[in-house]
């Protein structure tokens, strides 16, 4: 397989693709924007010249820094096919290959691979932002690397080192730089995947693993944007149980919430808030977000004790809230406290901070006041964190990584 430098030199970003030999050439690619499909060849692109990219392994080649001409104002949160993805392999020796950039496209998997048969897989999510001076910022990528390593240990999988993970993220973002939305129009969502790709029939760890990173430009996760969402508390289905895998980002955790989420959305709710599986009265998390409850100057969030994912945005919001003088408590939070709160909000990589406008529990609906449903605390924390992520304020916490 050609090296990354040769691939990038031979395949113009807006031109013909060279597809992996492990799969047949697909039909002309399409991307979906606002629930419409567009042929890649039909999208006009605006050239903006060339510039040198600098990021360890990624510094060996130059990439065009043109920006794709998409409808950035109405991007939404969905998959947009970009140009390149990163792939590295790991055999039975537990060591990952150096990895390389290849054109984005299908991959081949053995029908008896560990990920397809036994769900041996993990994923991460982080974002890149374009600043006003056209540089790119990553937000705390080393935290995602550490969380993947923790999850891999729980799932009996090897994981790339923190250094390889972060460098692979840099390479992938720079190779797809033209897909990073203009400042203030969204972000480039980065999806690292670790999966058991080796063939296995009996229940056992896979003999081979594949680490992949792909990216997609995104807008708001919830269609409401920074506007209140409406949640329903689920007291029949449960997201996780003690001793399970609720605290790691394994793929099965997300498939299991689809039924409850589907039912909730059919009833007009934005998403589902889950309770603990033992007492059925303590808050856990939303389908893909952590939950926070505000009462006076105190902000409470469920403690991370094995059933709740330790969100990186959650961790960041706690630090930002403490710096603003709020009292932050990580503890058991009952559904009764939720219903009596002054304000409620969710946090996550995709949503950043999402204010909750109403909670419905066992037929009772509680609404939270605020400026058009957005509470003052939610607004303050959202503004502070996003300004830091997008390079609009000084990063006094050292959380951002700049790519130029």
């Amino acid at each position: 397989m050609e090296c990354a430098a040769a691939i990038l030199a031979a395949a113009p970003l807006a031109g013909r693709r060279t597809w992996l030999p492990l799969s047949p050439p697909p039909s002309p690619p399409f991307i979906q924007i606002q629930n419409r499909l567009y042929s890649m060849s039909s999208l006009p692109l605006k050239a903006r010249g060339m510039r040198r990219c600098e990021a360890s392994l990624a510094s060996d080649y130059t990439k065009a820094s043109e920006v794709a001409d998409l409808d950035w104002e109405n991007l939404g949160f969905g998959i947009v096919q970009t140009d390149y993805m990163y792939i590295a392999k790991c055999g039975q020796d537990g060591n990952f290959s150096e990895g390389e950039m290849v054109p984005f496209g299908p991959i081949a998997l053995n029908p008896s691979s560990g990920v397809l048969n036994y769900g041996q897989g993990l994923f991460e999510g982080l974002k890149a932002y374009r600043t006003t001076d056209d540089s790119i910022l990553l937000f705390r990528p080393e935290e995602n690397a550490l969380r993947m390593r923790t999850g891999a240990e729980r799932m009996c999988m090897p994981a790339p080192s923190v250094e390889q993970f972060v460098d692979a993220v840099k390479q992938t973002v720079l190779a797809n730089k033209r897909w990073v939305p203009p400042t203030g129009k969204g972000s480039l969502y980065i999806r690292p995947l670790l999966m058991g790709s080796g063939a296995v029939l009996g229940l056992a760890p896979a003999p081979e693993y594949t680490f992949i990173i792909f990216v997609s430009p995104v807008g708001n996760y919830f269609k409401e944007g920074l506007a209140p969402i409406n949640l329903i508390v689920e007291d029949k289905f449960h997201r996780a149980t003690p001793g399970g895998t609720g605290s790691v980002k394994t793929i099965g955790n997300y498939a299991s919430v689809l039924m409850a989420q589907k039912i909730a959305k059919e009833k007009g709710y934005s998403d589902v808030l889950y309770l603990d599986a033992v007492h059925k009265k303590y808050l856990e998390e939303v389908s893909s977000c952590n939950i926070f409850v505000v009462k006076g100057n105190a902000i409470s969030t469920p403690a991370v004790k094995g059933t709740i994912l330790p969100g990186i945005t959650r961790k960041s919001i706690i630090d930002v809230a403490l710096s603003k003088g709020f009292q932050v408590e990580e503890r058991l939070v009952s559904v009764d406290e939720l219903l009596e709160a002054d304000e409620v909000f969710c946090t996550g990589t995709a949503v950043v901070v999402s204010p909750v406008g109403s909670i419905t529990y066992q037929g009772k609906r509680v609404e939270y006041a605020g400026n058009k449903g957005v509470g003052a605390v939610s607004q303050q924390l959202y503004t502070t964190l996003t300004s830091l992520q997008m390079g609009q304020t000084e990063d006094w916490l050292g959380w951002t990584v700049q790519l130029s």
Side-chain angles (χ1 to χ4, degrees):
M1 188 174 287
E2 297 176 333
C3 68
I7 289 176
L8 289 171
L13 291 179
R16 180 180 302 174
R17 300 175 185 271
T18 302
W19 294 91
L20 297 177
L22 48 74
S23 59
S27 57
F30 288 81
I31 62 174
Q32 183 171 5
I33 305 172
Q34 296 181 280
N35 298 319
R36 297 192 297 273
L37 290 175
Y38 294 86
S39 167
M40 289 295 293
S41 61
S42 71
L43 291 175
L45 302 173
K46 298 177 180 178
R48 292 182 58 185
M50 303 282 291
R51 59 186 297 173
R52 185 73 177 176
C53 300
E54 300 172 352
S56 54
L57 293 178
S59 64
D60 294 334
Y61 47 81
T62 301
K63 291 168 284 293
S65 88
E66 56 193 13
V67 175
D69 188 11
L70 302 182
D71 184 3
W72 300 113
E73 298 293 338
N74 299 288
L75 187 57
F77 197 96
I79 186 67
V80 174
Q81 181 169 302
T82 52
D83 296 304
Y84 296 101
M85 61 185 183
Y86 175 95
I87 294 184
K89 295 279 188 178
C90 177
Q92 293 182 325
D93 62 358
N95 297 316
F96 279 83
S97 63
E98 183 175 303
E100 60 186 335
M101 300 303 305
V102 299
F104 181 92
I107 61 172
L109 278 177
N110 191 299
S112 62
S113 63
V115 67
L116 294 181
N117 288 262
Y118 301 117
Q120 196 183 23
L122 294 164
F123 73 91
E124 279 295 327
L126 62 159
K127 288 179 176 179
Y129 298 85
R130 188 182 298 274
T131 65
T132 53
D133 65 359
D134 204 38
S135 61
I136 306 297
L137 293 181
L138 304 177
F139 184 69
R140 309 191 77 173
E142 72 287 345
E143 292 289 337
N144 295 91
L146 290 168
R147 188 169 66 180
M148 175 169 277
R149 291 183 63 82
T150 299
E153 181 179 5
R154 176 65 177 84
M155 300 298 289
C156 293
M157 305 167 71
S161 67
V162 172
E163 293 76 18
Q164 181 173 10
F165 181 103
V166 173
D167 188 75
V169 168
K170 291 177 180 179
Q171 290 188 60
T172 311
V173 171
L174 289 173
N176 294 284
K177 185 176 181 181
R178 74 192 185 106
W179 297 101
V180 181
T183 304
K185 303 299 183 183
S187 58
L188 187 71
Y189 188 84
I190 306 161
R191 173 57 59 85
L193 290 167
L194 178 62
M195 57 186 173
S197 51
V200 58
L201 187 59
L203 180 58
E208 178 193 82
Y209 296 87
T210 301
F211 177 49
I212 297 177
I213 302 178
F214 68 91
V215 298
S216 178
V218 297
N220 294 319
Y221 183 78
F222 290 116
K223 67 180 191 300
E224 294 89 345
L226 186 64
I229 61 173
N230 301 301
L231 301 179
I232 183 169
V233 177
E234 177 57 59
D235 56 4
K236 296 183 178 62
F237 294 104
H238 294 283
R239 176 190 168 274
T241 58
T245 58
S247 64
V248 299
K249 210 166 175 65
T250 182
I251 58 179
N253 289 349
Y254 296 84
S256 65
V257 306
L258 295 177
M259 176 59 74
Q261 188 183 64
K262 177 177 180 290
I263 294 171
K265 290 189 174 183
E266 288 174 348
K267 295 179 179 179
Y269 298 102
S270 306
D271 214 327
V272 176
L273 173 58
Y274 292 90
L275 300 178
D276 75 287
V278 178
H279 305 284
K280 299 184 178 181
K281 69 174 184 178
Y282 296 111
L283 309 185
E284 294 244 306
E285 60 181 275
V286 183
S287 301
S288 57
C289 312
N290 294 113
I291 191 82
F292 286 78
V293 174
V294 180
K295 189 70 174 179
N297 193 55
I299 303 175
S300 303
T301 189
V304 177
K305 292 185 177 180
T307 58
I308 297 172
L309 185 73
I312 295 164
T313 307
R314 172 189 182 275
K315 180 179 182 179
S316 304
I317 283 292
I318 289 174
D319 288 342
V320 169
L322 288 170
S323 75
K324 297 293 183 183
F326 290 100
Q327 175 186 343
V328 181
E329 301 173 345
E330 299 181 69
R331 58 177 176 82
L332 292 175
V333 182
S334 71
V335 69
D336 290 334
E337 292 180 76
L338 172 75
L339 301 178
E340 296 172 359
D342 297 332
E343 187 178 335
V344 178
F345 62 88
C346 304
T347 65
T349 297
V351 303
V352 186
V353 174
S354 185
V356 176
S358 73
I359 293 284
T360 300
Y361 175 58
Q362 295 183 342
K364 178 182 179 181
R365 179 184 174 98
V366 173
E367 297 186 349
Y368 303 97
N371 181 17
K372 296 182 179 179
V374 179
V377 176
S378 302
Q379 182 68 69
Q380 182 181 12
L381 296 178
Y382 172 84
T383 300
T384 301
L385 186 60
T386 55
S387 296
L388 188 152
Q389 290 175 326
M390 293 186 287
Q392 297 172 347
T393 59
E394 180 183 357
D395 179 10
W396 75 95
L397 294 165
W399 286 347
T400 57
V401 176
Q402 182 172 342
L403 307 181
S404 58

